[in-house]
Amino acid sequence: MKVEVQQQQQQEEEEEELGLEPMSPSAQYLKSSVLSLTILGVLECQGPIDDSLAISLVKDVFLPINPRFSSIMVAGKKGVKKWKKVEVHVEEHVKVPIFPDGMAAEYYDDCFADYLSNLSTEQLPPSRPLWEIHIVKYPTRHAAGNLIFKLHHSLGDGYSLMGALLSCLQRLDNPLLPLTFPSRQSAADADRRKSVLRRVPRLFSGIWHTVYDFGWSLLKSSLNEDDKSPIRSGEDAVELRPIATATTTFSIDQIKQIKNKLNVTINDVITGIIIFGTRLYMQKTSEGSGNSKSTALVLLNTRAIGGYRSVDEMVRPDSDMPWGNRFTFLPVPLPKLTPEEIQNPLVFVKKSHRIIKRQRNSGSVFLTGQLLNIISKFKGPEATAKYIHGTLKNTSMAISNLIGPVEQMALANQPVKGLYFIVAGPPQSLSVTMISYVGKLRIALNMEKGFMDPNKFKSCIEYAFDAISKAALLQS
């Protein structure tokens, strides 16, 4: 009788295993006991939000996008995490907060900031699919209402989740036409067309840079810790602390003018602005900290993105732009702030260009990716998560960006005025995220609440943009 029961249990386990979808290694280490990252995407609506349509939109539009939105994480037969399809109770995932009525926009700004901060520290319940939608109907200074998409990073990276979000939206001017995106051609693309002879010297320098950068990366995850500074508290469990978020907007045309004047890439310009503004904030907050040892981790998507693919295309087995997490970090040491560089802020753009170009010519990014795969294979995703957590904790900030559509979007015929995103859960006091939309670059500054001053940091970034823009226009 006991044998029959065991056989029946084994048969049930095998049948259950057949209904489970394997999880990628990256999905497993992004949702572990050591590391848990969540993406919060904010859509700013031009008019009041009608939340009565939310449930039907989620059921009819959002859930069918990808099976992961209807799945939970479970431990498979050998303890390996897998996706299990479950019934989704949409009402549990759609939240509509209630604030006092009839207050000024500034009051609702504070309410929204506190709400976003609380959302960033709350873990998604593991007993249901790892996403939520929050509908904040109160008008702030930036929007008549806000929609917050809270999605766990294990569901996909920014590229995948942006593709999913865009599947829910349409062009405002003509819903029958597809959204279009800025060109992603870069200086690196032009480099590939150069002659072989010109690339030979770079081959040898690239080998040296690979050895140096990979060794530096290994040390950064364990021993080589950044200095404590006004942007790095260095405290344990920073990821569990409340956050403060500020946003600012720059003209992409102005960024392109700087790019053309300096013969660099748009990413070089943006990185230079962020680094210069960060160093200014550090120096203003604590004299001498503008020269402290600090590192930014610049997020790189490993896909050769030419534009977003539909979700149907991304989930195909042979897709050239597959769904999932396909990213790596590029460590960029922050140049020190000297009196000469304050007078000539273009130095920060040029240094960012040299550093990023050199490290792109290094194979360190590839080797780091392979190292993560090896750690995951032989020691498991928890060990990989610990390695990534160490790298993040020992650095000062993270920078990531996404491309958004050129045309204005609409959700259920409601115009989307603006959008931005933040990443919650990294063990850092500061992260900067950016997305382009209708000719503007929206920058979100996400920082440890009570440790950093969001308004002061925002003003430093805006000053850096103006200073670099003016200096570039004066350059012959």
Side-chain angles (χ1 to χ4, degrees):
M1 184 69 178
K2 186 177 180 180
V3 174
E4 290 178 357
V5 171
Q6 289 177 338
Q7 289 177 340
Q8 184 178 355
Q9 288 177 342
Q10 183 177 355
Q11 183 178 353
E12 289 174 354
E13 289 175 357
E14 289 174 353
E15 288 175 354
E16 185 177 358
E17 282 283 316
L18 292 175
L20 302 182
E21 180 189 350
M23 286 183 65
S24 67
S26 58
Q28 293 185 61
Y29 56 66
L30 288 173
K31 182 71 171 73
S32 66
S33 63
V34 183
L35 187 68
S36 182
L37 303 181
T38 306
I39 298 174
L40 299 174
V42 180
L43 293 184
E44 297 173 329
C45 295
Q46 201 164 301
I49 301 174
D50 182 4
D51 61 307
S52 65
L53 301 174
I55 301 299
S56 60
L57 282 172
V58 170
K59 287 181 178 179
D60 300 335
V61 180
F62 181 75
L63 287 182
I65 287 174
N66 194 289
R68 294 186 190 179
F69 297 149
S70 302
S71 302
I72 62 172
M73 286 186 182
V74 297
K77 191 175 180 180
K78 297 182 179 180
V80 178
K81 291 180 181 178
K82 296 190 177 184
W83 294 112
K84 180 183 179 181
K85 187 90 169 175
V86 296
E87 182 182 355
V88 180
H89 301 286
V90 175
E91 296 79 6
E92 296 178 345
H93 294 262
V94 178
K95 316 284 185 178
V96 184
I98 303 297
F99 303 148
D101 289 325
M103 307 300 286
E106 290 78 7
Y107 176 84
Y108 292 127
D109 275 340
D110 293 337
C111 290
F112 183 78
D114 290 341
Y115 191 79
L116 195 64
S117 178
N118 291 334
L119 270 186
S120 71
T121 56
E122 293 174 357
Q123 292 295 313
L124 290 160
S127 59
R128 58 182 189 238
L130 299 172
W131 62 269
E132 291 176 349
I133 297 175
H134 298 256
I135 304 172
V136 184
K137 298 191 291 182
Y138 302 90
T140 63
R141 286 178 296 174
H142 296 293
N146 292 271
L147 267 75
I148 306 172
F149 287 79
K150 183 174 181 177
L151 306 157
H152 199 275
H153 219 321
S154 59
L155 296 172
D157 58 15
Y159 175 85
S160 297
L161 297 177
M162 177 57 68
L165 181 60
L166 295 177
S167 297
C168 302
L169 302 166
Q170 308 86 32
R171 278 179 60 156
L172 179 63
D173 59 349
N174 189 338
L176 299 178
L177 293 177
L179 292 161
T180 59
F181 300 86
S183 169
R184 285 294 298 264
Q185 184 175 348
S186 67
D189 298 323
D191 285 345
R192 295 188 190 102
R193 294 192 291 269
K194 292 181 179 180
S195 68
V196 174
L197 289 176
R198 293 182 65 182
R199 282 188 277 172
V200 167
R202 289 170 54 187
L203 172 64
F204 293 103
S205 64
I207 293 172
W208 160 245
H209 292 151
T210 297
V211 174
Y212 177 85
D213 294 337
F214 184 60
W216 184 93
S217 179
L218 288 174
L219 290 174
K220 204 66 184 174
S221 68
S222 54
L223 302 174
N224 189 11
E225 185 177 355
D226 276 2
D227 295 335
K228 290 186 178 182
S229 71
I231 64 167
R232 182 176 182 270
S233 68
E235 299 292 334
D236 291 331
V238 169
E239 60 269 33
L240 302 179
R241 300 186 178 197
I243 63 165
T245 302
T247 70
T248 187
T249 304
F250 298 146
S251 164
I252 292 178
D253 284 340
Q254 279 188 269
I255 294 173
K256 286 181 178 177
Q257 287 179 350
I258 302 170
K259 162 190 169 294
N260 294 334
K261 279 281 188 177
L262 302 183
N263 193 29
V264 295
T265 69
I266 287 178
N267 275 346
D268 295 334
V269 175
I270 295 169
T271 304
I273 291 168
I274 298 301
I275 289 176
F276 181 40
T278 300
R279 281 300 197 190
L280 286 173
Y281 172 84
M282 295 170 70
Q283 186 67 19
K284 287 185 176 183
T285 304
S286 176
E287 187 73 25
S289 64
N291 293 324
S292 63
K293 182 175 70 175
S294 304
T295 309
L297 290 180
V298 179
L299 185 71
L300 293 179
N301 196 295
T302 56
R303 303 172 178 88
I305 303 176
Y308 289 100
R309 299 290 190 268
S310 70
V311 175
D312 288 341
E313 289 177 292
M314 283 194 279
V315 297
R316 290 174 186 166
D318 58 347
S319 174
D320 60 337
M321 302 286 183
W323 181 280
N325 287 286
R326 311 269 173 163
F327 64 87
T328 188
F329 287 110
L330 184 71
V332 177
L334 270 61
K336 295 181 179 180
L337 187 68
T338 65
E340 293 78 15
E341 287 166 342
I342 293 177
Q343 297 301 317
N344 182 20
L346 297 183
V347 169
F348 281 89
V349 177
K350 293 174 181 177
K351 284 187 176 181
S352 296
H353 171 70
R354 287 198 298 271
I355 293 169
I356 293 174
K357 184 178 179 181
R358 181 184 74 75
Q359 294 196 355
R360 280 185 180 275
N361 191 39
S362 162
S364 174
V365 169
F366 171 77
L367 290 179
T368 301
Q370 294 302 307
L371 175 64
L372 294 180
N373 291 335
I374 292 170
I375 295 173
S376 183
K377 182 177 181 181
F378 291 100
K379 293 189 176 182
E382 288 287 330
T384 312
K386 187 176 181 180
Y387 180 91
I388 296 172
H389 184 277
T391 302
L392 290 167
K393 187 176 185 298
N394 288 346
T395 52
S396 298
M397 63 186 296
I399 303 174
S400 61
N401 68 80
L402 290 171
I403 57 170
V406 173
E407 301 86 12
Q408 188 173 9
M409 302 181 296
L411 177 64
N413 299 318
Q414 174 61 255
V416 176
K417 182 181 179 182
L419 73 157
Y420 60 94
F421 73 100
I422 63 174
V423 179
Q428 294 171 306
S429 298
L430 174 64
S431 65
V432 179
T433 53
M434 294 162 277
I435 187 168
S436 61
Y437 180 54
V438 197
K440 302 290 184 180
L441 182 73
R442 188 70 174 274
I443 301 180
L445 312 167
N446 194 45
M447 59 202 75
E448 183 182 344
K449 192 173 184 178
F451 173 68
M452 293 185 64
D453 183 337
N455 292 323
K456 184 178 180 180
F457 189 81
K458 174 183 172 181
S459 67
C460 288
I461 297 296
E462 291 172 342
Y463 175 85
F465 175 76
D466 290 338
I468 287 174
S469 181
K470 289 174 183 176
L473 291 176
L474 292 175
Q475 183 160 299
S476 56

